[in-house]
Amino acid sequence: MSMYRDRTHRGTARATVLRTVGARERRSHLTAPRVPTVGIDIGGTKVMAGVVDADGNILEKVRAETPDKSKSPKVVEDTITELVLDLSDRHDVHAVGIGAAGWVDADRSRVLFAPHLNWRNEPLRDRLAERLAVPVMVDNDANTAAWAEWRFGAGRGEDHLVMITLGTGIGGAILEDGAIKRGKYGVAGEFGHMQVVPGGHRCPCGNRGCWEQYSSGNALVREAREMAAADSPVAYNIIERVGGRIGDITGPLITELAREGDAMCVELLQDIGQWLGVGIANLAAALDPSCFVIGGGVSAADDLLIGPARDAFKRHLTGRGYRPEATIAKAQLGPEAGMVGAADLARLVARRFRRANRRRAERNERYERSGRR
């Protein structure tokens, strides 16, 4: 494991953990203890951890790569433990929240499936709780990012919010009246796998024509590489920039060239944005939120992407002209949103943990008083 900090940790502690985590966040953040908590953002190649205060400020963050190509559960759990212990050396940590790129069950204890890690029905919460002396909460990373944007970012003040995260694929989350809607089995918000083109591009999920095959970082890079491989005249600029190495074409490079005015890169982002707008219009028909927040790495293209998305949304919205339109806003917290949201949700767990301990102490005190009589 490669870490930005190299520290030795002494001692082990077995966690006392809440075995049942309720799903009722509605307005409960207002009474959560104002204590520092750790948020963990787990991706396919790195784990980022940060201490976050009650106002969403990151007090310190550390990061580690997971070099094991298998991304075995043990490797990732060891990495998370090392990072939390590192931060605990300098901060009084009261709870740990984890945002995982995968499907998390409704109890927020197991990772049912993770596309980039070998997690299959993995009891992540309980395994980490055995190694850390604080309560642990696990949730989908799009849910934690949406929570952060609702609490501290672009979604503040919205009572019906949908978040779209554009990265390698498309993730999403739904918030209504201050509560994350996870669905019966915990896997709501997988918008990227709505089928928008029957018989379209094959998706790693096994289906064809999924939305993320037309509006995501993968889609953007695929189109650019296809143009370059065909030696299209409009691709000469990007071919020259990568020295003819088509495999070196990346999403950030396409965005950079688009900002410089490269016609092909501008057009590719417009195409991705238009597909984004079509999908958002479909979600508006189904969910009718007041606001869509667009996050993820691809959103760094700003109005090169979001401008076409707004235009396509207005063209495809059902009942356009006769209904209120949701706003479409770019996320404000950037790549740290998932970490901040996970820490803030963990603060709610810390509150329930404190209440449980207080009730237990009160019961013990009553029992001791009755025994002395």
Side-chain angles (χ1 to χ4, degrees):
M1 180 178 69
S2 172
M3 295 181 59
Y4 289 149
R5 298 182 183 274
D6 183 14
R7 295 178 180 268
T8 302
H9 307 288
R10 297 182 176 87
T12 60
R14 184 176 182 85
T16 302
V17 65
L18 294 180
R19 296 299 175 185
T20 302
V21 179
R24 299 192 302 267
E25 289 101 355
R26 182 176 302 176
R27 315 208 192 289
S28 56
H29 64 282
L30 297 174
T31 56
R34 295 184 63 82
V35 294
T37 51
V38 168
I40 308 283
D41 183 28
I42 306 173
T45 60
K46 55 83 182 172
V47 178
M48 183 166 60
V51 179
V52 181
D53 70 14
D55 297 314
N57 301 309
I58 300 171
L59 306 180
E60 183 183 355
K61 65 179 178 179
V62 291
R63 170 176 165 164
E65 281 76 36
T66 50
D68 188 286
K69 290 185 178 179
S70 71
K71 305 297 187 300
S72 70
K74 179 68 163 55
V75 169
V76 180
E77 288 164 15
D78 289 346
T79 304
I80 293 170
T81 301
E82 287 293 320
L83 292 176
V84 173
L85 291 176
D86 179 25
L87 292 169
S88 297
D89 283 346
R90 298 174 299 283
H91 302 273
D92 184 18
V93 175
H94 290 255
V96 174
I98 297 171
W103 293 359
V104 178
D105 69 358
D107 291 332
R108 287 179 284 171
S109 62
R110 291 178 173 268
V111 181
L112 302 175
F113 172 79
H116 305 297
L117 300 166
N118 284 337
W119 282 341
R120 305 294 183 268
N121 200 28
E122 189 69 24
L124 182 62
R125 184 190 69 187
D126 291 350
R127 286 191 175 172
L128 287 173
E130 290 176 355
R131 305 173 67 175
L132 301 171
V134 290
V136 176
M137 184 280 311
V138 180
D139 209 337
N140 172 266
D141 58 348
N143 287 343
T144 61
W147 180 266
E149 291 292 340
W150 177 70
R151 288 274 282 123
F152 310 112
R156 281 176 294 184
E158 300 290 347
D159 55 1
H160 288 74
L161 178 148
V162 170
M163 181 149 188
I164 309 293
T165 56
L166 298 178
T168 302
I170 294 180
I174 307 162
L175 274 88
E176 291 185 5
D177 296 327
I180 298 173
K181 300 300 182 182
R182 296 182 175 84
K184 173 66 175 178
Y185 305 107
V187 297
E190 293 295 331
F191 306 137
H193 298 290
M194 301 185 303
Q195 290 179 293
V196 296
V197 179
H201 291 295
R202 175 73 73 180
C203 180
C205 77
N207 291 324
R208 289 186 177 273
C210 292
W211 185 26
E212 70 176 39
Q213 292 303 305
Y214 300 88
S215 184
S216 67
N218 269 355
L220 180 66
V221 171
R222 182 192 66 228
E223 295 294 316
R225 289 179 178 177
E226 286 181 1
M227 295 288 281
D231 205 25
S232 169
V234 299
Y236 283 172
N237 193 19
I238 198 168
I239 292 172
E240 182 179 2
R241 183 66 67 93
V242 297
R245 296 181 296 275
I246 294 174
D248 289 347
I249 294 175
T250 64
L253 175 61
I254 296 168
T255 299
E256 178 185 341
L257 291 174
R259 287 200 177 105
E260 295 173 3
D262 181 89
M264 184 194 79
C265 293
V266 169
E267 184 176 342
L268 289 177
L269 281 169
Q270 287 175 341
D271 290 344
I272 297 297
Q274 287 170 7
W275 275 112
L276 175 60
V278 170
I280 289 175
N282 288 339
L283 290 173
L287 302 173
D288 192 30
S290 59
C291 177
F292 288 94
V293 176
I294 313 301
V298 183
S299 69
D302 299 319
D303 274 347
L304 290 167
L305 173 82
I306 295 178
R310 289 192 180 110
D311 293 340
F313 170 69
K314 291 179 179 180
R315 289 198 307 273
H316 293 275
L317 181 63
T318 303
R320 52 194 173 274
Y322 297 96
R323 59 176 289 176
E325 293 182 5
T327 59
I328 299 175
K330 181 190 172 185
Q332 294 178 358
L333 302 183
E336 296 167 339
M339 181 180 72
V340 171
D344 200 59
L345 285 166
R347 192 167 289 107
L348 305 180
V349 177
R351 182 191 65 172
R352 287 187 283 268
F353 179 73
R354 285 182 166 192
R355 285 181 173 177
N357 278 347
R358 187 169 62 248
R359 285 194 294 268
R360 189 179 300 110
E362 290 171 352
R363 284 196 301 270
N364 290 339
E365 185 179 349
R366 287 196 298 269
Y367 177 79
E368 289 176 0
R369 284 200 304 266
S370 65
R372 289 194 295 267
R373 288 177 186 150

